[in-house]
Amino acid sequence: MTDDDFWRDLAPRPDEARRDPREAARATSAPQLPKRFYARATSAPAAGGGFALLLDGRAARTPAKRPLVAPNAAAGADLAAEWEAQESVVDPARMPLTRLLNSAIDGVADKMDEVAAEIVRYAGSDLVCYRAGEPERLVEAQAAAWDPVLDFARERLGARFVLAQGVMFVDQPPAALEAVAARVSREREPAALAALHVATTLSGSALIALALAEGVLDADAAWEAAHVDELHQERIWGEDALARARRDARAADFRTAARLYRQVSGG
């Protein structure tokens, strides 16, 4: 694994795909990961606000050499705990919060409008708007998981979305997308917007991510809603161990994003 691979896994730019954490970990042996080079990880108030990660008392920095600072004390404690949990090596696959904060600091903070627009684009082809026509059990499972999300969008955001059967693209009303954009534009903290972006891309649904942000769904319910189809297939054909491992790795990132959003928003 090259240094570029290491930092891409640790802090991908908003327009850059990160390798699946489990696959990235399998693709490299332990000696290729950087050795743990510090004895103690802590956090402390930063001069410019937030809580900085300190490694043996020295301020840590992002790959872009910016101070690695969490937005508040709770997130700072989580960040320090993540680094403290590293053993003989520093493994990005086990550091979802570090990756997320690095992305927020080095990428999202400089491109807030672009990241917000990408979230809105997901709403234009949102997962919850594309329904199966059969079998009945899948139709019912999708309705049970996704109808409350659409109810939330209508009642809380003032956004009415059009449903489609199958995968044929359907244009959504401009007013619905404008309502989503208005809600996303309220996120002015880079860490919160980064968390919302991660929740959107991992779920495939801006509406699920916003329902999570508004407390309509908790992290577990939101993650299950995003995987109704996959879980249905598993009930029929059985679970694939590799697919489950990949989903679990993504779920860890999703739950980290949900937790960080709550910490930043006070929810």
Side-chain angles (χ1 to χ4, degrees), residues 34-220:
K35 293 182 179 179
R36 175 167 171 157
F37 53 88
Y38 53 92
R40 189 177 179 214
T42 57
S43 65
F51 278 70
L53 174 68
L54 304 180
L55 303 176
D56 294 336
R58 299 179 63 182
R61 293 187 175 272
T62 68
K65 309 305 180 185
R66 297 175 177 178
L68 180 47
V69 177
N72 54 36
D78 283 353
L79 180 62
E82 189 171 83
W83 283 78
E84 192 66 21
Q86 301 302 299
E87 297 174 351
S88 59
V89 295
V90 180
D91 184 357
R94 298 174 53 223
M95 306 176 79
L97 180 57
T98 299
R99 296 195 310 267
L100 179 51
L101 288 174
N102 280 341
S103 180
I105 295 165
D106 286 348
V108 174
D110 297 331
K111 298 181 178 181
M112 295 285 284
D113 290 343
E114 291 93 330
V115 175
E118 184 175 354
I119 294 172
V120 177
R121 282 195 293 274
Y122 268 82
S125 56
D126 206 276
L127 170 73
V128 303
C129 296
Y130 292 84
R131 304 298 180 92
E134 57 180 2
E136 185 177 353
R137 288 184 63 184
L138 177 57
V139 172
E140 292 173 351
Q142 289 179 341
W146 297 347
D147 286 358
V149 176
L150 291 169
D151 292 343
F152 149 76
R154 183 181 65 254
E155 296 166 6
R156 299 272 289 271
L157 304 182
R160 293 179 178 272
F161 283 82
V162 177
L163 302 188
Q165 189 174 108
V167 296
M168 186 67 69
F169 178 77
V170 59
D171 286 316
Q172 295 298 339
L177 300 182
E178 289 168 6
V180 171
R183 170 59 184 84
V184 175
S185 70
R186 287 163 40 192
E187 305 296 349
R188 303 317 305 166
E189 163 59 55
L193 186 61
L196 187 62
H197 182 267
V198 166
T200 298
T201 56
L202 287 178
S203 67
S205 170
L207 298 183
I208 288 176
L210 288 172
L212 174 69
E214 291 291 320
V216 174
L217 299 175
D218 63 21
D220 289 341

